[in-house]
Amino acid sequence: MGLRERKKEQTRQLIAQTAWRLFADRGFDRVTVAEVARQAEVAVATVFNYFPTKEDLFYERLEVFEAQLMEAVATRAAGESVLAAFRRHLLSSGGLLAEVEAGDAQALERLRTIHRLIADSPSLLAREQQAMARTADTLAALLAAETGARADDLRPQAAANALVGVQRAMVDYTRRRVLADQQPARLAADVRRLGHRAFALLERGLGDYATRARPARASTATHSSKAPGR
């Protein structure tokens, strides 16, 4: 990474960190982009160059996770179903829940702050739903392309919405638990357990859907040799 790219990344991180501090202190809806720019000592236009909307300042990490989730599905191994790949990535991802499980008090406070800010902000809740819908649409398009589904085949969209529905249910469950402060040390284990149960329910209908084909083995043709003159 060159000097110019490093400076741009430093500016991006400064803006994001400044915005997060202000959001955590005062709530998302009470902070303006102009205030973020002033505190970060950059122009308002600079903020928008890096983050097109105020919600982008908050949800940058969510978008990264979505991209990684789609990559995990798109690059799943031969013989692995879309459900298995989706479940594997969703339930094995570390993040704040893993840090909370390890006893990190700062991670727990950050997790609480994130979910409190989302729960208190209609615009963040709406953006979260939009992000989930976008993930479902992206996944559906990927499945349609892989399976060669016709335009009137609803199975790719149905499968994608079912899988993302489990993700949404896990997020909602985590939020309720975190905000109610119910045994945070057990939260990660409970989310994994309940996630596995939800995916097991889907597996009865989706377990074999969109399983990636194994590479065809090269066949060795058997040629019969003919004797000269025959």
Side-chain angles (χ1 to χ4, degrees):
M1 183 183 293
L3 178 60
R4 183 178 180 182
E5 287 73 20
R6 285 200 301 271
K7 287 185 176 180
K8 289 177 66 175
E9 182 58 26
Q10 289 171 356
T11 300
R12 181 186 183 88
Q13 291 298 321
L14 172 63
I15 294 170
Q17 291 169 4
T18 301
W20 168 254
R21 175 171 52 81
L22 292 172
F23 295 155
D25 288 343
R26 296 167 48 198
F28 179 82
D29 293 333
R30 296 186 180 90
V31 176
T32 67
V33 173
E35 289 175 293
V36 174
R38 185 167 58 250
Q39 289 289 325
E41 299 183 346
V42 298
V44 172
T46 301
V47 176
F48 283 121
N49 284 340
Y50 289 97
F51 303 95
T53 70
K54 191 172 82 164
E55 287 76 15
D56 289 325
L57 284 163
F58 188 89
Y59 276 124
E60 179 185 19
R61 292 186 178 182
L62 175 60
E63 293 180 354
V64 171
F65 178 80
E66 289 175 359
Q68 293 171 341
L69 180 58
M70 291 302 98
E71 179 70 11
V73 172
T75 60
R76 66 192 185 281
E80 185 175 32
S81 69
V82 61
L83 185 149
F86 194 97
R87 175 180 57 201
R88 171 173 48 78
H89 186 80
L90 194 62
L91 296 183
S92 65
S93 298
L96 287 176
L97 275 179
E99 294 173 20
V100 171
E101 188 174 33
D104 189 330
Q106 291 184 343
L108 175 59
E109 186 56 35
R110 183 177 177 84
L111 188 66
R112 285 173 176 161
T113 300
I114 289 172
H115 284 291
R116 173 177 54 80
L117 288 171
I118 295 173
D120 291 343
S121 171
S123 60
L124 288 180
L125 285 169
R127 177 60 178 273
E128 184 178 65
Q129 295 305 308
Q130 291 171 2
M132 293 283 188
R134 183 177 63 244
T135 298
D137 288 343
T138 302
L139 180 57
L142 187 155
L143 295 178
E146 283 192 358
T147 60
R150 293 172 32 171
D152 60 354
D153 189 344
L154 300 182
R155 288 176 297 176
Q157 194 73 47
N161 277 285
L163 292 169
V164 174
V166 174
Q167 179 186 10
R168 185 174 310 182
M170 290 170 61
V171 170
D172 290 343
Y173 174 79
T174 299
R175 183 165 301 147
R176 290 194 302 270
R177 281 279 301 269
V178 167
L179 296 181
D181 197 20
Q182 296 177 349
Q183 298 179 308
R186 293 180 50 186
L187 177 58
D190 287 344
V191 169
R192 285 194 300 271
R193 175 176 56 82
L194 295 173
H196 277 296
R197 287 181 61 186
F199 279 116
L201 181 64
L202 292 186
E203 195 163 18
R204 298 172 190 172
L206 294 178
D208 296 329
Y209 177 68
T211 298
R212 174 155 291 184
R214 298 182 183 277
R217 294 182 178 179
S219 59
T220 303
T222 303
H223 300 284
S224 59
S225 59
K226 294 183 178 180
R230 293 188 61 185

